[in-house]
């Protein structure tokens, strides 16, 4: 290491220009970076849940619900009705939109004076009182209540059929967005649908990155100014973290890894972590200078002392991130590996770029740190240490109570995988979903596929009757609404053929009857069959809307439905299966738990191993992990009490807390070893360690917390919560290092310290 | 004297014979006027067809149909019967479009055992739920009234030398803003028709192939309409066609039940 640092100090320009060259090449790659926020991207593409969805999309077209929801006091007024018509017309003119179904053009099957008729609800937009009255009666009697208009007349929906190819989705959605914006007021108008959530998410991600990166840089610059009060003290650390960030993101672009809702937090984390180690280095350098060493000697001494803790901190932190590679969720794995790499890159740069710059510039002025502040902090830290030495019982009791009470919250931990819940209540996507939930009874599409196994099998009356019974079963749930199927079309036609007699709202007796009615339907220009039955009539789809539920309810409902289907059709010739977004979510949720457990174990093992190896003591390795047990349990406890669910973002906190938080323990133990060899007396060593290591830990924690808290300003509720929680874990792990370790050292443990 | 007379006459005849082809090219309108084929279901007579509809993924539904038609000055009558598949066999459809009377459509469903009148207005855009409109399958392909024809440079289509016509809509009140037609020079029959919508996208393509002479007239026995926007196709294969006159009795509601 010593030789290495001499090499850097002898030829600083070689290193600086090499770093600049790599940084520029990495920066050139940046425009290639893509974004992907889709829930599908979270699941490995060969997962059966996704394969199922794809097969269904093949047979019945895209299963995605996309609609424009409109809410007002009463939609049955001339202005609102015209607005619905205008919106429809304008939407249909947009490229990329196939068709828009609204309460006017929806098809009715009717037995009228002229015979069987499949016709739109109304050809003209009702304007006079009488027309509106007639239209209201007609639509409220139709099967479209609860789908295109609400029974109470407060809401209407336009079902939009998007083309799957040919047009840039985001351009289409942008134009829909501006259309809706133009038409909003006095009615509330919302865009609802997975692809809009995706679009909005990607926009929010980009905006977040645009806002949060400069923000964290400004905040960190503030911290640096506060610490060093010099221009170079700000610039040098920022140059090092800036370069490491560009390198890491460049790798992302090089490997075609899209930015996900998780890796989005990477820049803030990397900048914050990188700054913390730079502060550490610069502090030590200043200390050496203050002792009167000339520049070169001061740098050599600094790096002789600092290299090993910096490397150890980087290794443990990288191991914490790296443990996420055991995650099921794809973006978490990518995030873990990339950020781990980023941490190592930052380490490499702070050991090369920083000394290379420092040797070239004038040493900074002597820092005029306020002695008072130092005094106050020292007093606080000494008190903390003295407590642990002189009142161990009380402190142990206090810590245990705190630990148990907060930790108990972990049992209340819930799960979440619906991306819509990653947003705050005031975001348009969340509002739109809640309007749809409130007035139309669900914003998630859930489907049951009935496979008869043979061509035209669905035309069998027995099969259709089973479809009806599944449909009725689904509708019997409070949380599932509007189940529709091809059996509805058949029954409506049958009723119309028998002069509209409601007692003929039945499936015909024979297969011929069904086939002939369906023929009539398509002859008459009836549409919409393709999304309900496969072209060869071998498979049918029952679709329904499901309310957004918390994970517990969701899995209860899904399990109940699946059990029912299995009980009734497990042994029948019909193959019946439940599919849809809720199942994808359930799969994800079950995997968050697995991710949590595997990454937690991996990070504990990896970090414990690294610390033990570097300190050449297994007991010290274990000792440094103890504060983290507290941290992780309390983190889950806080989440449980606060009702913060385990989701894609929060499930990575524990591993990070271990990787980052272990540094405090390591820092403490290294210092303690030094003090013990100096004093030989445990109490004195502890007190000195508490003060000196405590100061370092305090400043490091403050810098990290300040940086992480920037995430609070994210568009995503999930990410702001992540920012708060990861900051909380820093508070806890630093405090735990200062309290728990001295307690254990003083009262219970006699670890052997081998000489380094 | 006789020699000169013969010579003059011969020159005159030669001139007369040569003038239309060499001295003057056919105009677009003249080509339209000279078309030897108007449409599959435009004349009176009977036909048996296989009707295949194909969705985006190429999955097909296949029907066999028998059609009786009678077309006169006072309107059109059409009787259609499904022969296959078995579950719709015997389903019959009668449409009467008579001048001065409301259009009537009747459907007989054997499973129901009775006929029902069905409303006509939704059937305007699609013939029996296929990619054809009624106009495209039964109307005159010459489109003289609504479109003005321009000739474009000749092209070869599958090795056949064709006139190419560009038909621009005379008013905005039509389904297609532009139609392009390839007419086989040798027989003056259309081989392909492209339909363009007002946004200048190619909406549908009609191809007519397998021309066979039936009672002096050339009739395509394979007709495909592709909807380029939806990605669907409808294939019509004629198995039998005659121009025999059909008894008026066929076009009655009473006949449906037989």
């Amino acid at each position: 290491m010593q030789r290495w640092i001499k090499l850097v100090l002898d030829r600083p320009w070689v290193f600086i220009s090499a770093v600049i060259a790599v940084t520029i090449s990495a920066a050139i790659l940046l425009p290639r970076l893509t974004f992907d926020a889709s829930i599908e991207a979270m699941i490995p593409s060969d997962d059966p849940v996704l394969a199922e969805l794809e097969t269904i999309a093949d047979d019945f077209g895209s299963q995605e619900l996309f609609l424009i929801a409109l809410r007002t006091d009463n939609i049955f007024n001339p202005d609102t009705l015209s607005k619905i018509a205008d919106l429809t017309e304008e939407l249909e003119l947009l490229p990329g939109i196939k068709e828009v179904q609204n309460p006017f053009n929806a098809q009715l099957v009717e037995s009228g004076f002229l015979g069987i008729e499949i016709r739109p609800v109304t050809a003209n937009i009702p304007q006079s009182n009488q027309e509106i009255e007639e239209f209201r009666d007609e639509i409220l009697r139709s099967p479209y209540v609860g789908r295109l208009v609400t029974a109470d007349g407060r809401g209407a929906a336009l079902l939009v059929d998007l083309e799957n190819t040919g047009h840039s989705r985001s351009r289409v959605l942008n134009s829909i967005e501006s259309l809706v914006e133009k038409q909003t007021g006095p009615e509330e108008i919302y865009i609802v649908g997975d692809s809009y959530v995706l679009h909005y998410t990607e926009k929010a991600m980009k905006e977040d990155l645009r806002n949060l990166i400069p923000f964290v840089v400004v905040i960190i610059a503030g911290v640096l100014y506060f610490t060093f009060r010099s221009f170079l003290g700000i610039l040098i650390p920022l140059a090092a973290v800036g370069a490491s960030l560009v390198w890491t993101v460049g790798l992302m672009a090089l490997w075609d890894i899209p930015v996900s809702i998780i890796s989005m937090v990477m820049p803030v984390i990397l900048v914050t972590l990188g700054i913390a180690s730079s502060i550490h280095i610069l502090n030590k350098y200043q200390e050496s200078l203050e002792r009167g060493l000339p520049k070169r000697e001061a740098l050599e001494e600094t790096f002789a002392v600092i290299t090993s803790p910096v490397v150890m901190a980087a290794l443990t932190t990288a191991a914490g991130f790296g443990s996420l590679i055991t995650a099921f969720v794809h973006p978490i794995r990518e995030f873990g590996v990339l950020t781990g790499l980023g941490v190592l890159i930052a380490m490499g740069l702070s050991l090369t770029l920083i000394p290379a710059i420092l040797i070239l510039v004038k040493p900074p002025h002597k820092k005029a740190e306020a002695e008072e502040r130092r005094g106050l902090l020292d007093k606080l830290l000494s008190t903390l240490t003295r407590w642990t030495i002189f009142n161990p019982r009380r402190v142990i009791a206090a810590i245990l109570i705190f630990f148990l009470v907060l930790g108990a919250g972990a049992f209340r931990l819930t799960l979440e995988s619906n991306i819509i819940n990653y947003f705050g209540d005031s975001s348009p996507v969340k509002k739109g979903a809640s309007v749809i939930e409130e007035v139309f009874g669900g914003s998630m599409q859930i489907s049951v596929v009935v496979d008869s196994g043979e061509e035209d099998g669905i035309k069998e009356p027995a099969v259709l009757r089973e479809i009806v019974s599944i449909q009725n079963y689904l509708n019997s749930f409070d949380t599932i609404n509007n189940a529709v199927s091809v059996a509805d079309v058949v029954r409506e036609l049958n009723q119309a053929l028998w002069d509209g007699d409601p007692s003929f709202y039945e499936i015909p007796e024979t297969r011929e009857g069904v086939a002939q009615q369906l023929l009539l339907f398509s002859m008459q220009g009836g549409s919409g069959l393709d999304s309900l039955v496969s072209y060869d009539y071998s498979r049918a789809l029952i679709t329904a809307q499901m309310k957004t539920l918390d994970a517990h309810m969701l899995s209860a409902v899904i399990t109940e439905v699946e059990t029912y289907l299995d009980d009734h059709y497990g042994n029948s010739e019909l193959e019946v299966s439940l599919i849809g977004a809720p199942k994808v979510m359930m799969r994800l949720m079950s995997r968050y738990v697995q991710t949590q457990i595997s990454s937690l174990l991996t990070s504990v093992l990896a970090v414990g191993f690294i610390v033990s190896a570097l300190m050449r003591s297994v007991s010290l390795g274990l000792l440094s992990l103890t504060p983290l047990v507290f941290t992780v349990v309390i983190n889950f406890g806080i989440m449980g009490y606060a009702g913060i669910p385990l989701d894609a973002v929060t499930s990575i906190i524990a591993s990070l807390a271990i990787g980052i938080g272990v540094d405090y323990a390591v820092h403490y133990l290294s210092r303690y070893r030094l003090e013990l060899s100096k004093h030989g007396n445990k109490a004195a060593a502890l007190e000195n360690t508490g003060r000196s290591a405590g100061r370092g830990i305090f400043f490091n924690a403050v810098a990290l917390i300040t940086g992480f808290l920037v995430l609070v300003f994210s568009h995503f509720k999930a990410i702001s919560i992540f920012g708060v929680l990861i900051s909380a874990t820093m508070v806890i792990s630093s405090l735990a290092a200062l309290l728990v370790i001295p307690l254990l050292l003083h009262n219970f443990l006699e670890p052997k310290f081998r000489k380094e | 004297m006789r020699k000169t007379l013969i010579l003059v006459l011969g020159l005159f005849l030669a001139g007369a014979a040569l003038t239309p082809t060499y001295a003057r090219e056919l105009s677009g309108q003249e080509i339209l006027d000279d078309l030897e084929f108007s449409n599959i279901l435009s004349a009176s007579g009977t036909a048996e067809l296989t009707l295949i509809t194909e969705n985006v993924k190429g999955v097909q539904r296949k029907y066999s149909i028998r059609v009786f038609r009678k077309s006169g000055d006072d309107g059109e009558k059409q009787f259609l019967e499904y022969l296959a598949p078995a579950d719709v066999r015997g389903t019959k459809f009668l449409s009467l479009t008579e001048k001065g009377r409301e259009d009537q459509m009747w459907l007989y469903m054997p499973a129901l055992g009775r006929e029902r009148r069905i409303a006509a207005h939704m059937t305007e855009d699609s013939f029996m739920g296929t990619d054809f409109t009624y106009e495209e399958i039964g109307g005159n392909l010459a489109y003289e009234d609504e479109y003005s024809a321009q000739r474009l440079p000749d092209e070869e289509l599958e090795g056949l030398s064709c006139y190419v016509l560009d038909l621009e809509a005379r008013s905005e009140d039509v389904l297609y803003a532009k139609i392009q037609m390839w007419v086989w020079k040798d027989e003056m029959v259309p081989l392909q028709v492209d339909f363009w919508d007002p946004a200048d996208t190619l909406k549908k393509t009609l191809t007519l192939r397998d021309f066979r002479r039936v009672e002096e007239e050339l009739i395509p026995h394979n007709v495909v309409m592709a909807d380029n926007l939806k990605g669907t196709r409808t294939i019509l294969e004629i198995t039998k066609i005659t121009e025999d006159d059909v008894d008026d009795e066929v076009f009655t509601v009473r006949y449906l039940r037989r």
Side-chain angles (χ1 to χ4, degrees), chain A residues 314-513:
Chain A
L315 283 182
T316 54
T317 306
F321 284 103
S323 72
L324 295 173
I325 200 169
T326 60
F328 169 79
V329 180
H330 211 56
I332 296 185
R333 282 207 295 263
E334 291 168 349
F335 163 79
V337 171
L338 278 168
T339 317
L341 273 177
V343 167
L344 295 178
I345 290 172
M347 172 196 86
L349 287 175
S350 52
L351 295 179
T352 50
L353 186 64
I354 292 186
I357 298 176
L358 285 177
I359 192 76
L360 291 173
V361 298
K362 270 204 309 194
H365 293 296
K366 218 179 155 222
K367 177 173 58 169
E369 198 183 333
E371 283 302 315
E372 266 168 75
R373 215 179 67 220
R374 185 172 260 185
L376 197 70
L377 182 61
D378 282 355
K379 221 181 277 170
L380 202 78
L381 290 167
S382 301
T383 318
L384 220 58
T385 313
R386 238 172 280 136
W387 279 354
T388 61
I389 298 172
F390 298 114
N391 302 309
R393 270 155 215 252
R394 255 187 253 172
V395 178
I396 289 173
I399 290 176
L400 276 182
I401 289 169
F402 186 72
F403 174 71
L404 290 176
V405 168
L406 270 183
F411 294 104
R412 300 178 170 208
L413 205 54
T414 55
L415 291 164
E416 184 54 73
S417 65
N418 191 345
I419 195 139
I420 202 126
N421 290 332
Y422 287 20
F423 289 97
D425 289 338
S426 61
S427 74
V429 284
K430 191 76 184 274
K431 271 200 216 157
S434 71
V435 168
I436 286 297
E437 305 261 307
E438 187 193 319
V439 296
F440 295 106
S443 64
M444 282 194 292
Q445 181 108 323
I446 184 169
S447 314
V448 174
V449 191
V450 177
D451 189 344
S452 70
E454 54 167 340
E455 217 172 285
D456 290 328
I458 295 301
K459 293 177 183 167
E460 282 300 335
V463 174
L464 284 168
R465 279 186 211 108
E466 291 306 329
I467 291 176
V468 171
S469 86
I470 295 170
Q471 223 180 308
N472 291 342
Y473 170 74
L474 290 178
N475 278 333
S476 71
F477 285 85
D478 286 342
T479 47
I480 302 179
N481 290 295
N482 302 328
V484 293
S485 76
V486 65
D488 297 332
V489 178
V490 172
R491 285 183 292 177
E492 277 165 35
L493 279 163
N494 199 48
Q495 182 180 348
L497 279 168
W498 294 99
D499 306 313
D501 182 348
S503 66
F504 282 94
Y505 189 73
E506 284 295 337
I507 304 292
E509 297 293 320
T510 62
R511 168 161 168 178
E512 285 74 21

Side-chain angles (χ1 to χ4, degrees), chain A residues 36-291:
Chain A
D36 191 351
S38 64
I39 189 162
E40 287 85 0
M42 295 206 174
I43 291 186
S45 52
D46 54 355
D47 197 88
V49 175
L50 285 190
E52 252 176 17
L53 271 183
E54 245 161 65
T55 329
I56 295 314
D58 252 16
D59 264 12
F60 304 101
S62 156
Q63 285 308 295
E64 112 171 71
L65 196 63
F66 189 89
L67 47 85
I68 312 287
L70 190 140
R71 184 166 67 174
T72 184
D73 295 337
N74 177 17
I75 63 153
F76 296 105
N77 73 72
D79 290 344
T80 305
L81 295 179
S82 310
K83 185 166 281 184
I84 294 172
D86 287 353
L87 252 174
T88 308
E89 204 172 300
E90 287 176 276
L91 283 168
E92 276 178 336
L93 282 177
L94 292 178
I97 290 184
K98 252 192 272 181
E99 191 166 36
V100 180
Q101 194 184 33
N102 67 16
F104 310 127
N105 66 16
Q107 280 181 4
L108 290 178
V109 180
E110 231 184 27
S111 170
F113 172 68
L114 286 174
I116 307 284
E117 207 176 12
I118 299 173
R119 61 166 178 91
V121 176
T122 170
N124 307 311
I125 308 315
Q127 286 297 306
S128 73
N129 281 342
Q130 194 199 338
E131 283 169 346
I132 291 178
E133 205 59 33
E134 280 167 15
F135 168 67
R136 187 194 2 229
D137 287 350
E138 183 126 47
I139 191 90
L140 291 182
R141 261 191 287 116
S142 77
Y144 297 105
V145 179
R147 282 153 70 188
L148 294 175
V149 290
T150 58
D152 63 5
R154 287 176 56 232
L158 285 78
L159 286 175
V160 181
D161 197 358
L162 295 170
E163 268 169 38
N164 282 324
T165 47
H167 299 278
S168 145
R169 209 14 104 76
S170 67
R171 200 172 317 150
V172 176
L173 290 167
N174 275 329
S175 28
I176 296 178
E177 229 176 9
S178 57
L179 243 182
V180 163
E181 213 167 287
K182 201 180 72 190
Q183 296 278 11
T184 298
E187 300 88 357
E188 294 169 69
I189 308 181
Y190 297 104
I191 309 171
V192 182
D194 288 349
S195 64
Y196 182 63
V197 173
L198 191 64
H199 173 75
Y200 186 84
T201 306
E202 287 187 11
K203 266 180 38 177
M205 275 164 64
K206 287 177 189 164
E207 214 168 290
D208 260 10
L209 286 175
R210 263 201 307 274
N211 296 338
L212 297 185
I213 295 180
F215 192 29
V216 75
V217 167
V218 168
I219 291 284
I220 288 295
V223 171
L224 290 170
Y225 176 76
F226 191 68
T227 320
F228 300 115
R229 314 227 176 226
S230 81
F231 180 63
L232 283 174
I234 299 173
L235 207 64
I236 294 169
L238 281 183
V241 294
S244 67
L245 185 59
V246 173
W247 289 27
T248 315
V249 182
L251 279 178
M252 251 179 118
L254 186 68
W255 292 334
D256 287 326
I257 300 174
V259 180
S260 68
I261 182 160
I262 296 150
S263 54
M264 220 188 85
V265 302
M266 187 181 80
V268 170
I269 289 184
L270 272 187
V271 168
T272 308
L273 288 174
I275 290 299
S277 71
S278 300
I279 291 179
H280 203 39
I281 293 169
L282 289 181
N283 254 332
K284 178 67 201 144
Y285 175 50
Q286 229 161 19
E287 222 178 279
S288 303
L289 286 174
E290 277 168 30
R291 291 216 328 272

Side-chain angles (χ1 to χ4, degrees), chain A residues 525-540:
Chain A
S527 63
L529 267 189
D530 289 349
S531 59
L532 298 173
V533 64
S534 64
Y535 207 69
D536 64 355
Y537 288 103
S538 65
R539 315 212 281 161

Side-chain angles (χ1 to χ4, degrees), chain A residues 447-724:
Chain A
S447 314
V448 174
V449 191
V450 177
D451 189 344
S452 70
E454 54 167 340
E455 217 172 285
D456 290 328
I458 295 301
K459 293 177 183 167
E460 282 300 335
V463 174
L464 284 168
R465 279 186 211 108
E466 291 306 329
I467 291 176
V468 171
S469 86
I470 295 170
Q471 223 180 308
N472 291 342
Y473 170 74
L474 290 178
N475 278 333
S476 71
F477 285 85
D478 286 342
T479 47
I480 302 179
N481 290 295
N482 302 328
V484 293
S485 76
V486 65
D488 297 332
V489 178
V490 172
R491 285 183 292 177
E492 277 165 35
L493 279 163
N494 199 48
Q495 182 180 348
L497 279 168
W498 294 99
D499 306 313
D501 182 348
S503 66
F504 282 94
Y505 189 73
E506 284 295 337
I507 304 292
E509 297 293 320
T510 62
R511 168 161 168 178
E512 285 74 21
V514 176
Q516 288 161 24
Q517 289 186 12
L518 288 171
L519 184 68
L520 162 71
F521 185 74
S522 53
M523 259 171 67
Q524 284 281 78
S527 63
L529 267 189
D530 289 349
S531 59
L532 298 173
V533 64
S534 64
Y535 207 69
D536 64 355
Y537 288 103
S538 65
R539 315 212 281 161
L541 191 72
I542 304 164
T543 60
Q545 276 150 275
M546 188 170 176
K547 287 199 166 146
T548 302
L549 301 170
D550 66 49
H552 181 71
M553 282 284 285
L554 181 75
S555 71
V557 172
I558 295 289
T559 312
E560 196 180 332
V561 173
E562 284 200 310
T563 314
Y564 172 90
L565 294 179
D566 197 46
D567 286 351
H568 285 73
Y569 303 101
N571 298 317
S572 83
E573 279 166 22
L574 294 180
E575 204 181 297
V576 180
S577 48
L578 181 72
I579 58 147
K583 278 197 74 182
V584 178
M585 288 171 196
M586 272 186 61
R587 176 128 188 109
L588 270 179
M589 286 189 294
S590 69
R591 294 311 180 137
Y592 290 151
V593 179
Q594 179 241 306
T595 293
Q596 189 62 79
I597 294 169
S598 63
S599 62
L600 197 56
L601 285 179
T602 317
S603 64
V604 167
L605 283 177
V607 169
F609 177 79
I610 292 172
V611 174
S612 305
L614 290 176
M615 299 188 103
R616 297 193 195 105
S617 154
V618 176
S619 54
L620 284 185
L622 289 176
L623 188 59
S624 46
L625 284 176
T626 38
L628 300 167
V629 176
F630 283 79
T631 312
V632 168
V633 171
I634 290 173
N635 168 53
F636 287 141
I638 295 173
M639 283 172 66
Y641 281 123
I644 298 167
L646 199 60
D647 59 28
V649 185
T650 49
S651 66
I652 62 181
I653 290 176
S655 307
L656 303 204
I658 289 176
I660 303 170
V662 78
D663 293 354
Y664 301 131
V666 168
H667 196 55
Y668 189 95
L669 286 172
S670 312
R671 191 71 191 211
Y672 176 69
R673 176 153 63 181
L674 203 75
E675 298 288 341
L676 194 65
S677 65
K678 233 195 279 177
H679 300 272
N681 170 330
K682 250 194 195 178
L686 282 176
E687 202 164 337
N688 274 337
T689 309
R691 205 168 332 116
S692 59
R695 201 184 307 137
I697 289 172
F698 175 81
F699 283 120
N700 180 289
V702 167
L704 290 190
I705 290 165
T706 318
F708 291 149
L709 279 179
V710 166
L711 292 173
V712 169
F713 298 96
S714 166
H715 278 289
F716 298 90
K717 197 176 81 184
I719 289 180
S720 17
I721 287 172
F722 171 83
V724 173

